[in-house]
Amino acid sequence: MSMIKTENICKNFGDLKVLKNISLTVEAGEVVCIIGPSGGGKSTFLRSLNHLEKITSGKIYIEDELLDDRKKGVNQTHLSLKDKNQILLRMGMVFQRFNLFPHKTVLENVMIAPINVKKMAKGEAEQTARDLIKRVGLEDKMDVYPAKLSGGQQQRVAIARALAMQPDIMLFDEPTSALDPELVGEVLAVMQDLAKEGMTMIVVTHEMNFARDVADKVVFMYDGTILEEATPQEMFTNPKHERTKGFLQTVLNEV
């Protein structure tokens, strides 16, 4: 079963065409890393999958269910709001910025969505949250407030918070780009563990080593299009497109 499939999705902001006929399939348990220069549409694509942006046209399937079939910005699927939200809840998302509630502890931050959105019992939500916080290596920070955490620790809490909703798919939008270099590794390690456990993941990233080591498939986006899609081995040793070659030469020389 395809976990995510897009067919010719386009996104316009006025006259600006940000996504141009993006078609991509992500299978269950697959890790797909999306790379490419800034402004290429990577984050907009990710945000379109979970309706933070509404596509202009094209189709989005989540676990083989048609979520979007848009023509000129109008969705033809006519799903009820309840059904649409049930599909969207299958996806968890981690952003560049952590967006934790500053007045709530680590434990409270991870508990809040399951209680309020999924109507999970408080006791069950707390146990789930404790297990997830331990899973991301922060069991000694349960009662700490975000301001007392490093950026890497805050991002690990954000991952635990997304996992608390028990998603089938995790979307990561440049999750390490706001971190100091020495804190990047601790976040990537958590993501690597998720990949080993079989979580389906789409990761927009500038971390080429992570893409090379963890991805099943690497997608190169440029100017709103997918120029190239390949295994990490193919992408990093024998890219086909001149734009891909130029991008990889630049970023790999910076490492």
Side-chain angles (χ1 to χ4, degrees):
M1 178 177 68
S2 298
M3 297 298 276
I4 291 179
K5 183 168 74 170
T6 67
E7 294 180 357
N8 298 312
I9 67 172
C10 298
K11 171 63 181 176
N12 302 341
F13 291 104
D15 293 333
L16 181 65
K17 296 180 179 179
V18 179
L19 299 179
K20 306 168 187 175
N21 296 306
I22 299 287
S23 295
L24 181 69
T25 300
V26 181
E27 305 295 347
E30 197 170 35
V31 178
V32 175
C33 283
I34 303 178
I35 63 172
S38 297
K42 304 185 301 297
S43 293
T44 301
F45 173 66
L46 217 59
R47 292 169 63 85
S48 296
L49 295 177
N50 67 358
H51 279 200
L52 290 174
E53 300 288 356
K54 289 184 180 177
I55 59 172
T56 304
S57 62
K59 296 180 180 180
I60 298 174
Y61 296 84
I62 304 298
E63 296 185 60
D64 289 342
E65 289 193 58
L66 185 58
L67 176 64
D68 275 299
D69 179 8
R70 286 187 183 267
K71 294 172 184 173
K72 296 182 179 176
V74 179
N75 199 348
Q76 311 295 310
T77 60
H78 307 300
L79 286 171
S80 71
L81 185 61
K82 182 181 178 183
D83 288 344
K84 187 187 300 181
N85 287 337
Q86 285 301 313
I87 295 173
L88 290 170
L89 283 174
R90 298 175 196 171
M91 290 181 284
M93 188 157 179
V94 177
F95 302 87
Q96 297 177 34
R97 296 288 171 183
F98 328 119
N99 299 327
L100 301 177
F101 293 109
H103 60 291
K104 293 188 178 294
T105 64
V106 166
L107 183 62
E108 290 167 340
N109 264 282
V110 178
M111 287 173 60
I112 191 167
I115 291 172
N116 289 336
V117 179
K118 296 193 90 171
K119 307 305 178 188
M120 190 181 286
K122 186 176 179 182
E124 183 185 355
E126 180 173 343
Q127 188 56 55
T128 299
R130 287 185 180 278
D131 291 343
L132 288 169
I133 293 164
K134 186 174 181 180
R135 185 172 167 188
V136 300
L138 293 171
E139 56 265 44
D140 59 336
K141 304 292 185 183
M142 297 278 182
D143 300 318
V144 173
Y145 289 90
K148 299 291 187 182
L149 300 175
S150 70
Q153 290 169 332
Q154 289 188 59
Q155 192 62 295
R156 283 188 278 158
V157 175
I159 293 172
R161 179 182 58 184
L163 291 172
M165 293 296 287
Q166 301 169 327
D168 299 325
I169 302 156
M170 284 287 283
L171 310 176
F172 292 89
D173 186 10
E174 299 189 25
T176 59
S177 65
L179 300 179
D180 292 332
E182 67 270 20
L183 302 177
V184 168
E186 64 191 60
V187 174
L188 293 181
V190 171
M191 294 168 63
Q192 196 158 1
D193 286 344
L194 279 177
K196 287 176 184 171
E197 292 164 12
M199 175 64 76
T200 305
M201 296 162 59
I202 303 181
V203 184
V204 171
T205 185
H206 291 293
E207 300 293 337
M208 295 301 130
N209 288 333
F210 179 85
R212 183 163 35 201
D213 296 342
V214 180
D216 298 294
K217 182 162 64 187
V218 181
V219 172
F220 177 70
M221 282 187 68
Y222 180 85
D223 192 29
T225 64
I226 292 179
L227 279 191
E228 195 161 343
E229 182 181 322
T231 65
Q233 171 76 9
E234 293 169 42
M235 184 69 78
F236 288 104
T237 61
N238 190 29
K240 301 292 187 292
H241 201 284
E242 289 303 318
R243 292 280 188 193
T244 317
K245 291 177 185 176
F247 172 78
L248 287 174
Q249 283 173 356
T250 300
V251 295
L252 293 175
N253 285 338
E254 292 173 355
V255 175

